Amino acid sequence: MINPEFLLSFLGASFLIAIAPGPSNAFLMAQTFANGRAAGLQSAFGFALGGVVHTFFAVIGLTAILKASTVAYTTVQYLGAAYLCYLGLTTLKATVSQPNPQCEDKPHVSTSKKQNVMFQAMMTEVLNPKVALFFIAFIPQFVDPSLSSTTFQLAFFGLLYPLFAFPIDCTYIYFGDKIASYFRDHPQTQLWIDRITGLVFIALAINLLI
């Protein structure tokens, strides 16, 4: 059983959080601009799966360990930053090895690997301790101890958030793809978009350490 008033409050707060610009949205837009709408949707699915993982961790108490242990928090933080930095450097390396787009008869298409986008987004979310602490600090505020078990309510709200945020992410992807469609028809511009995407990943890695 869920308190209806708490549910409405949760949805309102979740909406504001989901539409606010942040690292997740930056990742989504970078993938959409560089690799198209499909990559953006894969990123959104990856973030949703990451939310499910964080919900599981929060319910069984692992997130509380991150909150209590400086060593654990720092370890996850550096792993996440290293992973994002790896994605950024890999993307930049791919643009250096690409042929000169002006010498091609057909429009340039990014050669960065797209099949792993969902996994990349999921791991970016999972290895972000700030997201883990968000789940353990935000979701319990809407748990009503006078109703059903707190474990059920934690799981309910934790799984509801990624489901609720997913269509909002899709809206970002839709409009981002509309803007990017112009640039994809201009080879040199697309190449710079790929390079900017790599720099965005590295910037997200730095942001994670701040």
Side-chain angles (χ1 to χ4, degrees), residues 143-158:
V143 171
D144 188 344
S146 67
L147 298 178
S148 56
S149 72
T150 56
T151 299
F152 169 78
Q153 293 183 70
L154 284 171
F156 175 84
F157 285 116

Side-chain angles (χ1 to χ4, degrees), residues 2 6 20 25 55 67 77 96 102 108 114 118 121 129 133-134 165 168 170 180 199-200 205:
I2 301 296
F6 285 16
N25 290 333
T55 298
K67 185 177 181 180
Q77 187 179 35
V96 173
Q102 294 181 341
H108 163 72
K114 302 178 185 179
M118 184 183 299
L133 295 184
F134 162 79
I168 296 175
C170 289
L199 294 176
V200 167

Side-chain angles (χ1 to χ4, degrees), residues 40-91:
L41 289 173
Q42 289 181 49
S43 299
F45 274 116
F47 284 129
L49 291 174
V52 173
V53 173
H54 277 298
T55 298
F56 174 75
F57 286 166
V59 169
I60 66 175
L62 288 182
T63 306
I65 296 176
L66 282 179
K67 185 177 181 180
S69 172
T70 302
V71 174
Y73 181 92
T74 303
T75 299
V76 175
Q77 187 179 35
Y78 276 95
L79 285 174
Y83 185 71
L84 282 169
C85 191
Y86 164 77
L87 294 180
L89 293 175
T90 302
T91 303

